[in-house]
Amino acid sequence: MEPPPRDPASVSRRRFLIHTGALTTGIAAEVRLPMSEAAMPAQAAGGESEMRLRVNGQVHALRLDPRVSLLDALRDHLGLGGSKKGCGHGQCGACTVLVDGRRINSCLALAIAQEGREVTTIEGLAAGGKLHPVQAAFVAHDGFQCGYCTPGQVISCVAMLEEARRGDASAVTADLDAAPLLDDAEIRERMSGNLCRCGAYVNIVAAARDAARRA
Amino acid sequence: MSPGAASPIGLPLDRVDGPHKVSGSATYAAEFQPKDTCRALIVQSRIAAGRIARIDTRAAETMPGVLRVLTHLNVERLPQQGRAAVKPPAGREMSLLQDDAVRYNGEPIAVVVADTLEHAQEAASHIEVAYERGPAALDFEAARGGAYPPRKTVRGPPDTTWGEGASALDSAPVRIAATYTTPYEHHNPMEPHATVARWEGDRLTLWDSTQYVSGVRDTVAKTLGIPTGNVRVISPFVGGGFGCKGSTWSHVMLAAMAAKAVGRPVKLALERPQMFGPVGGRPRTEQRIELGASRDGRLIAVCHDVISHTSSFEDFVEVATSPTRALYAYPNGSVTQRLVKLNLGTPTFMRAPGESTGTFAIECAMDELAERLSIDPLELRLRNHAEREPDTGRPWSSKRLRECYRQASRRFGWERRDAKPRSMHEGPWQVGWGMATATYPAHRQPAQASASLARDGTAVVRCGTQEIGTGTYTVMTQVAADALAIPVDLVRFELGDTRWPRAPISAGSMTVASVAPAVRAACTRLRDALAKQDRRWLDAADDAGRRSAWRALAASQPTATEAHGESHPDASEDEQPFAARSFGAVFAEVRVDPELGIVRVPRVVGAYSVGRVLNAKTAANQLQGGIVWGIGMALMEESLLDPSSGRYVNGNLAEYHVPVNADVGEIDAWMVDEDDTRFNPLGARGIGEIGITGVAAAIANAVWHATGRRIRDLPITLDKLL
């Protein structure tokens, strides 16, 4: 059998490391942003800032405290309660959303820093009232119990499928030059940023495996 | 059910609330936002014992957006200093700012109310508190000298003996004794506790994340000194509880008091670190076990002495001796429960309270006895299988534990186990196989439900029970559809509201056993009332016929027909002529890195005797989740207490380790066929708690088999294996 064709965007070990480095720097910069001198006056005044957030294809004009996280903006100011707050510190993954197609912990991102970006939440996944295939797989495989981590798991799974498709490696990928195959070990590793205290991991893996096969 | 209609009971139906949960439309407490809702934030004490000498809130009160800062100096005075509803363990001792006392580090001492969360957070950091420190008891080991017997436990008196008690050990030819310890743990459901409180005149509505809406209503009304009917509690979805949302803790009342003080609805959501203290946790335990047996492995006597911690102001007993009293046919036994008081928040029920900690000790001890006797651990358990409840002699309502041992051991491949420790390897890994018995008592309480037929053909069935992830919406829909003889999609089950008929707490694996018979009773009455009008739907030949006849009947109703049903056990658990308990057999494989001490659990196999299963899909999920909890308990979970400050230093989800996806391997868990109609009319005993039991012991026993090391102190972290 022929090896699968190399995706030009697939990641070598070297590129993977570069990407990871860039990611880390990006996050650090984002977190530091409001503390930088340029942002100080707005914060010191204790006032609000105007911002435009594009969420699920819709633009919202908001006036918010610049300290408001993307998660709190979604939940408390846009009425999008599907993204969950489990810790507020990027430790549990319940708040996972897509920003420009990439999964992030929305509790660690400032709302004001998302201007010009496209935010996709769990509410934006189903099209025309029909569940996204990943959502349907979670229902069919009972990949949840209480449901509180579920929006984050689903969003994370959608992003994982895309990451694998474009060839991103994970910590358990044996061959960094081959297109990653989403076997159970890969799924478990790549979904480990999303805690499920009910312990529905066996079914979450089954749902992800099913969704990966259909993707 | 009418002839020809297949019963939906037992089918592995997808959850009826599944589409809501995967699309973000399931609404949890903090997501309810009545108009003008403001935010409240709890400020916690920073010492473990003493009093507040001075609290300065002036700076905080003048900060932007701040509406009020509640402290013991200005808060409303509650009847009986806020203790009107205290009746442990149902009504807890709360911290409601009624005095200046500090009883543990992290105790609520003030509440900041502001227009936004950011303003509340900033103001909270500007409150200055001066304390007068008092002596704090924070050392479990040191406090053991003062251990005392509690007045009672949920399983009766603290001390129980049967047969000749401990003295029978003297005649046993083989004896083993060992002490096992389990750490402080915290529940950490994914959804932090949250309450939204709104007053309209003298009527209060609470949207609360709770395992017991009626309990919250009763406690809050009584504590405030207002009629029960003035309080409504709503809780359609709960993001996990595992015991910590079974009680009404301080924040619920503080939200109500804050909303009253500012005259606006208030949302109070705990932050994750605030869940390490004020909302319970699993008590630390020290358990001494002694077993006496004949040389051929017949148990002669058991002694199990437990010390667990509680707070300085309320007794909570972790009844770890409970499984010991039920597991094996020892003719003689003695068990004791003792408490030590520490300056910590009051602990509480945590998944399989008593049984999770207790099975770790007794099931490890059985493994040590098997080793001493050179008898296979499974064979030792079979030789001592209890045909009756050991300490009372009552027969079981139903018990299929032997079948669990048979099915699970076969699936696991137990007969291929080499009994010698350190005998199995896989590459560089040491491999070990261990097993244990699982058990959890069956409980049932009175419950009520209503059923009505709406004109659009929907059967609306209501009960004030809760959905905490166990599948209550789905399972009760199945029970209702079965009793009404209609397809499940014609049923809408509503819960989580004190306006609906009363149901017990969702805890102790008793929701199905309590609520399902009430739902069935209400639906049977509705069916009988409707059949008198037009019984064509019951006589229809197929689902399509039933559906159209049912719709026609609904449309012909001048008003909605409604029926009520209730159900209760015939006698209290102690007075029943039988003992009701679930059992299971759990087998674990571990791999241990001999150089680094890393322990992995590639597979767990468990078979369970839990009565009739109402939904095979949600039931298996519950068992798998319980086993994941067992892996966490065995290998990682521990709240680390700073002995000088009394603060848990790892009070967050990065440092309090719970299993992540990559920590969990294959889990194969199922239910053996069973129908326990002696226990309740549905034949189900409940399933939520048993999954965790026995798992920590099975893993510890497998670690011994892999390494030859007995680790009797949980969690089994790598430092203990190096």
Side-chain angles (χ1 to χ4, degrees):
Chain A
M1 194 172 155
E2 264 190 314
R6 285 286 296 277
D7 180 339
S10 78
V11 179
S12 66
R13 176 183 288 274
R14 189 175 141 73
R15 281 190 59 196
F16 173 75
L17 293 173
I18 293 168
H19 282 181
T20 315
L23 191 68
T24 312
T25 318
I27 288 172
E30 251 172 39
V31 170
R32 218 165 22 228
L33 190 61
M35 307 303 285
S36 71
E37 283 180 27
M40 282 306 277
Q43 195 184 24
E48 296 179 331
S49 302
E50 293 193 1
M51 58 190 84
R52 293 165 71 82
L53 283 185
R54 189 176 169 84
V55 182
N56 300 329
Q58 220 181 323
V59 177
H60 304 268
L62 294 168
R63 269 185 76 85
L64 293 178
D65 191 314
R67 295 169 295 188
V68 173
S69 70
L70 174 58
L71 175 64
D72 288 339
L74 293 169
R75 286 172 65 80
D76 297 343
H77 302 283
L78 293 177
L80 295 171
S83 305
K84 304 303 182 191
K85 193 172 199 172
C87 68
H89 287 80
Q91 300 168 341
C92 77
C95 65
T96 308
V97 301
L98 302 178
V99 173
D100 291 340
R102 205 181 74 190
R103 52 176 163 169
I104 67 159
N105 289 321
S106 63
C107 72
L108 291 185
L110 291 166
I112 199 170
Q114 309 311 315
E115 279 201 314
R117 295 178 179 172
E118 174 67 48
V119 179
T120 306
T121 72
I122 190 72
E123 291 92 346
L125 222 49
K130 196 168 177 295
L131 293 182
H132 183 283
V134 171
Q135 292 174 313
F138 269 72
V139 173
H141 292 276
D142 211 31
F144 51 86
Q145 289 177 21
C146 78
Y148 199 77
C149 74
T150 311
Q153 301 274 1
V154 168
I155 290 278
S156 213
C157 185
V158 169
M160 174 187 73
L161 298 181
E162 174 59 21
E163 289 157 16
R165 196 193 60 74
R166 67 167 187 250
D168 291 3
S170 84
V172 298
T173 307
D175 181 355
L176 295 178
D177 292 323
L181 184 74
L182 287 182
D183 59 14
D184 288 1
E186 281 278 8
I187 292 170
R188 287 178 186 134
E189 171 65 24
R190 290 166 187 261
M191 291 296 290
S192 279
N194 293 84
L195 301 183
C196 169
R197 186 54 161 163
C198 295
Y201 294 125
V202 171
N203 292 355
I204 289 169
V205 172
R209 195 194 301 129
D210 191 10
R213 209 177 45 230
R214 289 160 196 266
Chain B
M1 198 101 209
S2 62
S7 168
I9 290 187
L11 295 183
L13 295 188
D14 290 350
R15 285 175 202 249
V16 299
D17 52 345
H20 289 294
K21 286 178 173 171
V22 300
S23 58
S25 58
T27 310
Y28 300 78
E31 290 142 26
F32 287 92
Q33 301 211 67
K35 196 171 174 309
D36 290 332
T37 298
C38 55
R39 299 295 296 257
L41 193 67
I42 287 178
V43 179
Q44 297 169 280
S45 72
R46 288 167 175 268
I47 63 163
R51 56 176 287 273
I52 299 164
R54 198 182 69 251
I55 184 161
D56 186 348
T57 59
R58 284 170 300 180
E61 278 161 0
T62 59
M63 300 200 64
V66 174
L67 300 168
R68 192 71 59 92
V69 180
L70 303 178
T71 69
H72 70 282
L73 299 174
N74 64 3
V75 79
E76 80 173 282
R77 297 297 136 194
L78 298 165
Q80 297 178 45
Q81 293 79 48
R83 304 188 71 257
V86 171
K87 198 183 169 193
R92 315 307 297 252
E93 290 267 5
M94 292 182 274
S95 304
L96 303 179
L97 319 180
Q98 299 295 298
D99 57 37
D100 61 4
V102 175
R103 304 172 293 182
Y104 63 94
N105 198 320
E107 183 170 14
I109 55 166
V111 177
V112 180
V113 191
D115 58 347
T116 67
L117 178 61
E118 292 73 25
H119 285 147
Q121 285 170 330
E122 185 169 6
S125 69
H126 286 80
I127 294 175
E128 288 184 19
V129 188
Y131 298 99
E132 198 174 284
R133 286 172 193 266
L138 294 167
D139 185 337
F140 184 92
E141 310 261 328
R144 282 161 70 234
Y148 62 95
R151 208 162 50 79
K152 60 181 172 59
T153 79
V154 291
R155 303 268 186 280
D159 296 2
T160 300
T161 61
W162 63 97
E164 291 166 31
S167 63
L169 282 169
D170 298 337
S171 62
V174 181
R175 287 167 71 166
I176 62 132
T179 298
Y180 303 88
T181 51
T182 66
Y184 306 107
E185 292 180 7
H186 288 89
H187 306 70
N188 282 301
M190 293 309 298
E191 180 204 19
H193 300 246
T195 306
V196 176
R198 180 183 67 191
W199 287 91
E200 290 161 303
D202 60 354
R203 304 184 81 82
L204 173 65
T205 303
L206 297 170
W207 289 267
D208 190 36
S209 182
T210 177
Q211 293 171 238
Y212 192 17
V213 288
S214 298
V216 172
R217 178 188 60 182
D218 295 355
T219 300
V220 168
K222 208 166 178 183
T223 305
L224 289 167
I226 62 176
T228 307
N230 285 21
V231 181
R232 179 181 174 196
V233 180
I234 300 170
S235 188
F237 289 97
V238 180
F242 316 112
C244 65
K245 292 175 183 169
S247 303
T248 309
W249 299 107
S250 312
H251 65 275
V252 180
M253 272 297 304
L254 293 172
M257 291 156 70
K260 199 174 180 183
V262 300
R264 280 171 67 172
V266 158
K267 171 156 93 177
L268 196 166
L270 294 193
E271 298 183 332
R272 180 62 59 179
Q274 296 184 319
M275 293 168 68
F276 290 75
V279 290
R282 202 193 291 286
R284 178 169 166 177
T285 73
E286 180 183 296
Q287 310 180 44
R288 186 175 187 278
I289 292 207
E290 194 156 3
L291 289 169
S294 65
R295 292 194 194 285
D296 66 349
R298 309 278 161 191
L299 287 166
I300 293 167
V302 62
C303 286
H304 190 173
D305 301 304
V306 177
I307 303 173
S308 62
H309 94 275
T310 191
S311 68
S312 64
F313 50 94
E314 183 186 325
D315 282 0
F316 175 82
V317 187
E318 173 76 5
V319 195
T321 54
S322 171
T324 298
R325 288 162 60 173
L327 275 172
Y328 301 110
Y330 359 66
N332 309 289
S334 157
V335 302
T336 66
Q337 294 277 161
R338 297 291 180 269
L339 288 176
V340 298
K341 282 190 187 297
L342 297 178
N343 283 94
L344 299 172
T346 309
T348 192
F349 309 95
M350 181 159 152
R351 201 160 192 180
E355 261 64 14
S356 50
T357 47
T359 52
F360 167 64
I362 185 70
E363 288 301 286
C364 284
M366 286 293 282
D367 206 67
E368 299 201 36
L369 181 63
E371 177 196 358
R372 175 76 67 84
L373 293 165
S374 298
I375 294 177
D376 178 84
L378 173 57
E379 175 58 27
L380 179 65
R381 286 163 173 90
L382 287 168
R383 280 184 201 174
N384 292 285
H385 185 268
E387 304 298 340
R388 290 169 165 267
E389 191 175 46
D391 63 342
T392 67
R394 293 186 296 180
W396 305 105
S397 60
S398 172
K399 179 179 181 181
R400 300 209 67 211
L401 176 57
R402 284 182 190 279
E403 185 61 17
C404 296
Y405 287 135
R406 197 184 66 80
Q407 289 185 17
S409 64
R410 181 179 297 182
R411 183 85 62 95
F412 187 81
W414 183 255
E415 75 283 354
R416 296 197 308 273
R417 177 178 182 264
D418 183 334
K420 270 204 323 292
R422 292 185 301 274
S423 58
M424 296 164 68
H425 297 87
E426 173 103 21
W429 297 86
Q430 298 174 313
V431 176
W433 288 2
M435 61 86 56
T437 308
T439 185
Y440 194 78
H443 302 303
R444 185 182 167 203
Q445 285 188 6
Q448 299 162 14
S450 70
S452 66
L453 174 56
R455 280 181 59 86
D456 69 352
T458 307
V460 181
V461 183
R462 290 169 169 154
C463 176
T465 181
Q466 297 76 214
E467 163 59 36
I468 58 172
T470 51
T472 307
Y473 278 114
T474 309
V475 168
M476 294 311 150
T477 298
Q478 290 171 268
V479 171
D482 173 66
L484 292 166
I486 55 175
V488 287
D489 63 290
L490 293 177
V491 175
R492 186 172 79 233
F493 184 74
E494 297 182 346
L495 53 66
D497 193 327
T498 48
R499 286 191 307 178
W500 312 147
R502 188 177 180 115
I505 183 173
S506 289
S509 291
M510 69 184 171
T511 298
V512 162
S514 307
V515 173
V519 167
R520 175 187 269 187
C523 291
T524 303
R525 278 204 188 140
L526 178 65
R527 181 192 65 195
D528 293 348
L530 292 169
K532 283 187 191 134
Q533 300 171 33
D534 175 358
R535 57 169 293 120
R536 276 178 295 178
W537 103 89
L538 287 172
D539 300 330
D542 54 23
D543 252 14
R546 263 184 290 282
R547 192 182 292 273
S548 62
W550 175 264
R551 286 228 162 94
L553 167 62
S556 71
Q557 302 275 301
T559 55
T561 308
E562 183 165 335
H564 286 261
E566 59 178 279
S567 164
H568 54 82
D570 298 330
S572 74
E573 284 170 20
D574 288 342
E575 291 162 350
Q576 300 272 19
F578 53 81
R581 220 174 222 282
S582 289
F583 291 92
V586 60
F587 295 76
E589 175 174 322
V590 302
R591 294 182 187 195
V592 182
D593 183 314
E595 287 173 359
L596 298 176
I598 297 166
V599 182
R600 306 288 298 161
V601 185
R603 67 189 180 114
V604 179
V605 172
Y608 296 87
S609 159
V610 292
R612 189 178 181 197
V613 171
L614 302 190
N615 182 315
K617 187 179 268 194
T618 56
N621 197 343
Q622 284 290 297
L623 293 173
Q624 290 164 2
I627 289 168
V628 171
W629 271 69
I631 293 170
M633 181 181 176
L635 301 181
M636 51 193 91
E637 289 192 41
E638 177 174 24
S639 303
L640 296 163
L641 186 69
D642 170 14
S644 59
S645 69
R647 206 175 305 169
Y648 295 105
V649 297
N650 60 340
N652 61 73
L653 286 175
E655 294 164 290
Y656 181 92
H657 291 171
V658 301
V660 303
N661 208 319
D663 292 318
V664 177
E666 284 173 37
I667 295 179
D668 199 356
W670 67 95
M671 302 69 68
V672 301
D673 282 341
E674 191 177 7
D675 193 0
D676 189 356
T677 49
R678 236 176 142 184
F679 178 57
N680 73 58
L682 267 292
R685 273 200 305 271
I687 213 162
E689 315 267 9
I690 192 171
I692 184 178
T693 70
V695 176
I699 289 172
N701 295 339
V703 166
W704 168 78
H705 186 234
T707 65
R709 305 274 300 274
R710 291 278 179 200
I711 309 299
R712 303 186 181 94
D713 176 42
L714 292 183
I716 306 172
T717 43
L718 48 79
D719 51 299
K720 294 173 188 172
L721 284 167
L722 290 176

